[in-house]
Amino acid sequence: MIPPITVDLPTPAVALAVAAHPDDVEFQAGATLARWAAAGCAVHHLILTDGSKGTWNPATDPASLVHDREAEQQAAALRLGAVGGVRFLRWPDGELEAGLRQRTQVAAAIREVRPEVVLGHDPWRRYRLHPDHRNAGWLVCDGIVAARDPLFFPELATPSHRPRALLLWEADEVNHVEVADDAALEAKVAALLEHRSQFLTTHGITDPADPGQLAAFAARQRARLVERAAVVDAKLGESFRLLENL
């Protein structure tokens, strides 16, 4: 018997989204975080890489791209209503490893932020191509274990912390949907449009002055949320693999 798909966690007081790159959070959980933020949740971002390879233009200066992408991520977080700020670990894009140093940093962030809910990449997704996404998924899972158990990384000054839930996005086996409304979708689209350096590579926007292309992008985001909500007969939503009793 297949367990039923659950809907809508209680709005957490604090949430932490852990992503490989700038814009990953907004694409995968932007509507959920916007709805929670509107209800009073303190939303935090932790971005693991510097985003320095996120372009199709070989003439791009990587240092300038890092600067732009961090500014875009901060603006995007504000569009979602996130008040917790954005932490950047700045590991080289495309070279993220699920090692002890990185795990220590993720655990430290979880202990500092003390979120009720953590969100991140699902490392068990089949056929995942990008190594940063795979390793970011392992880091969020391993980082939770290290953050919750007090004998891990005793050099950390902050006490241990156990989140009550983990939401993994892009899951092959979805068991939870966070229902969204039009306001949350609008905030998600507005946040994504702050990532202007990614218009060509991930947004499919070749001319940002063309209102038709912007409208088409917004329509694609709505279609994705319609598809993900269909499994629970809702209008809009974002789907996850929910892990509890961490």
Side-chain angles (χ1 to χ4, degrees):
M1 181 177 178
I2 299 175
I5 296 176
T6 59
V7 176
D8 290 350
L9 293 173
T11 301
V14 182
L16 173 65
V18 182
H21 310 103
D23 85 7
D24 288 341
V25 171
E26 286 70 44
F27 267 118
Q28 304 304 334
T32 297
L33 295 176
R35 184 170 63 82
W36 287 353
C41 175
V43 172
H44 299 249
H45 286 60
L46 176 63
I47 309 300
L48 304 181
T49 77
D50 61 9
S52 58
K53 297 182 179 70
T55 179
W56 291 345
N57 180 1
T60 299
D61 173 46
S64 295
L65 182 59
V66 169
H67 176 272
D68 292 344
R69 297 201 71 184
E70 290 194 359
E72 290 167 355
Q73 181 61 81
Q74 290 168 330
L78 292 176
R79 287 284 192 176
L80 296 181
V83 298
V86 184
R87 289 166 168 79
F88 298 100
L89 296 190
R90 300 188 177 97
W91 290 97
D93 194 352
E95 303 173 31
L96 182 66
E97 297 179 349
L100 282 176
R101 286 185 62 197
Q102 294 86 350
R103 191 190 310 176
T104 304
Q105 291 175 316
V106 173
I110 293 171
R111 289 184 178 189
E112 291 166 6
V113 172
R114 312 190 78 72
E116 293 181 25
V117 179
V118 177
L119 306 91
H121 300 267
D122 187 343
W124 292 282
R125 184 185 179 188
R126 293 183 292 272
Y127 315 121
R128 182 182 292 281
L129 187 62
H130 203 302
D132 288 347
H133 289 190
R134 292 196 304 270
N135 286 325
W138 294 125
L139 285 170
V140 74
C141 295
D142 297 349
I144 283 177
V145 172
R148 78 183 186 192
D149 294 348
L151 296 185
F152 277 83
F153 308 131
E155 69 273 18
L156 296 178
T158 47
S160 60
H161 174 73
R162 183 189 296 263
R164 64 175 168 84
L166 169 62
L167 290 174
L168 298 172
W169 59 62
E170 294 185 298
D172 283 328
E173 297 183 9
V174 167
N175 68 349
H176 182 80
V177 171
E178 286 290 324
V179 174
D181 55 18
D182 286 333
L185 173 59
E186 289 173 9
K188 174 188 179 86
V189 171
L192 283 166
L193 291 177
E194 292 290 349
H195 294 280
R196 297 179 65 86
S197 67
Q198 303 305 293
F199 276 9
L200 182 60
T201 57
T202 62
H203 291 40
I205 298 172
T206 58
D207 181 3
D210 180 355
Q213 291 192 30
L214 299 179
F217 175 76
R220 290 194 294 273
Q221 302 315 305
R222 176 176 287 275
R224 290 177 69 182
L225 266 63
V226 167
E227 179 183 9
R228 293 175 181 183
V231 294
V232 292
D233 198 27
K235 286 185 176 180
L236 301 169
E238 291 174 328
S239 57
F240 305 91
R241 184 71 187 185
L242 169 64
L243 302 180
E244 296 183 285
N245 301 315
L246 304 177

